[in-house]
Amino acid sequence: MKNIQIIAAAVLLLLFTSCSSSRITSSWSAAGSAPKKYNKVMVLGLIRDQDRSICQFMENHLVGDLKELGYNAVSAQAQFGPKAFENMCEKDAVDKIRNSGADAVVTIVLLDKSKEQYYVPAQRQNLPRSVYYNRFGGYYTTIYERIYTPGYYVTDTKYFWESNLYDMNTKDLVYSVQTESFDPASSESLGHEYGKLIVEDMMKKNVMIKQ
């Protein structure tokens, strides 16, 4: 029985640690549009200055996932720098992307970011009395922690994202997806999860063909 409990706990731990912090809330593709092969796909993050480091990870991971499908993909930050599209009008931005040879662009937009704070009460150990009452050391440690370990506040961050795929020859919107990410472990893990999530959904929606 004890071995079964240990195995069950290990499985639950594995499932918990492998869970993604990101999920798709909605996605859309243009009706009747045939999947295309693009010669060059530019990934463009439109994210505020204070989140610019996140932008770099998001672009790089999405580029990497597109490359795995055989696409010639490039990060806008890598090609033009972090502020190349700042305060640029639509025509100039379109011309800049087209002149780079890109015939498709995938945008990454941080729609909103919110923080939630909640209180975690002090932990109570519901152990059998015999576990810690038989010896003073065990009793003292357990009771001390129960009495003197205070609760604490935890702040979680939620990110709300939107990505669009545009055909730069027609300037038409081909695909759009909205996602939310809940308290990711790091900017690196957030970018990794997001790239996989978006590219897999693009394939399911049949908007791009593997090269």
Side-chain angles (χ1 to χ4, degrees), residues 37-43 66 70-76 79-80 96-106 165-169 208 211:
K37 289 185 178 180
Y38 296 100
N39 296 318
K40 182 179 180 180
V41 181
M42 178 168 291
V43 179
L66 287 168
Y71 278 92
N72 175 24
V74 63
S75 157
Q79 181 152 352
F80 298 120
K96 192 178 188 71
I97 293 171
R98 281 179 170 171
N99 290 337
S100 73
D103 54 355
V105 61
V106 179
L165 169 64
Y166 291 95
D167 186 315
M168 294 308 293
N169 292 322
M208 297 176 74
Q211 297 283 49

Side-chain angles (χ1 to χ4, degrees), residues 29-35:
S29 59
S33 61

